[in-house]
Amino acid sequence: KLLIKDLKVDEVPLRIYQPKWPPTGKRRGLLYFHGGAGTFGSIRAFERICCYIAKKCNSVVVSVGYRLAPEHPYPGQYFDCLNATLYFMRNLEEYHVDPALLIISGDSCGANFATVICQILLNKRDLPKVRAQVLLYPGLQGLDFHLPSYQQNASVPLLFRKLVIYFCFRYLNKEPSFLEDILQSCHVPESMKQKYKKWISADIIPDEFKIRGYVPQKSASYKPEVHEAIKEVLAITFSPLLAEDSIIRQLPESYIVTCEFDVLRDDGLLYKKRLEDNGVQVTWYHSESGFHGILAFFGYGIFSFLSGKKIMDSTVNYINSL
């Protein structure tokens, strides 16, 4: 039912999925950035998701095989995703895509890339405006690894709390160090904690997400050597949740999926609130039994999860509503 085409843009592999039936009008166009902490994952691993969206939404889906860290150094992943996006935006006519129906999406770190690309594109007036961002259990900040979801789901597969820090180091091509100090936010200067607590704080998380064993804790004091080891995670590129309101309020309509059993759940909740506070329309889907990475099993028959199917169907319904 699909035409599938592989090509390379500036050394970055793309796989483009198009419905075989002739278009009756212009189609939606969707860019998909896969998850994998920027260090693993591939186009092939997320093929079932992209095929499902292309068929169910009568859309052209561009899956981006951005080059992985640490072999391809950070922040090269963002440039790969941006170059792929610019290529697609400049060739919409060829793919019969409506420039008013362009969607940027991803899961996990891919959702982080999608968020950053949407922020970067705000400055590019010569290109079509993005219609929506679709963010599936996004990771959006490296400031606070002590939010309720990090505490509650610290030992829940597939993404343990300590594994998040390990992946941050691997992604930045550094030796993992100071894990415990970073979990206690010793890498964040006091001035920064004060500046951003209005956006990133357990106090902002709705109470219903704290009933499952959350215990408020004081973060430890700032340690300059810990900051130096992992300061990149505090940059806007890595932590798009720290972007100023003047940026956030210009962003496109958004669809956000969070999973209850996911250390990154609260990143999605905090971003949802920030967008809404800035007048951006948000559609939110919360999977009460979902866990981080659940979509990696989507379409695998007996190995797939009903929660993952529900996430995909909700996502498809949202895309079709645009």
Side-chain angles (χ1 to χ4, degrees), residues 22 27 34 51 60 84 91 108 117 122 133 157 161 178 180 205 224 231 251 280 290 293 313:
R27 288 183 163 130
H34 67 76
C51 285
V60 178
N91 292 277
S108 192
I117 299 304
L122 295 175
Q133 52 179 356
R161 180 162 69 149
F178 304 115
E180 288 301 330
I205 302 295
K231 61 187 176 188
L251 288 168
V280 177
D313 287 341

Side-chain angles (χ1 to χ4, degrees), residues 10-24:
D10 295 336
E11 298 303 305
V12 181
L14 308 184
R15 184 165 290 175
I16 302 177
Y17 304 85
Q18 302 174 75
K20 270 187 176 169
W21 55 92
T24 49

Side-chain angles (χ1 to χ4, degrees), residues 118-137:
C118 282
Q119 292 182 4
I120 291 171
L121 290 173
L122 295 175
N123 299 321
K124 298 195 178 291
R125 305 281 180 221
D126 56 327
L127 293 167
K129 277 185 76 167
V130 176
R131 176 68 179 84
Q133 52 179 356
V134 169
L135 311 175
L136 310 174
Y137 39 75

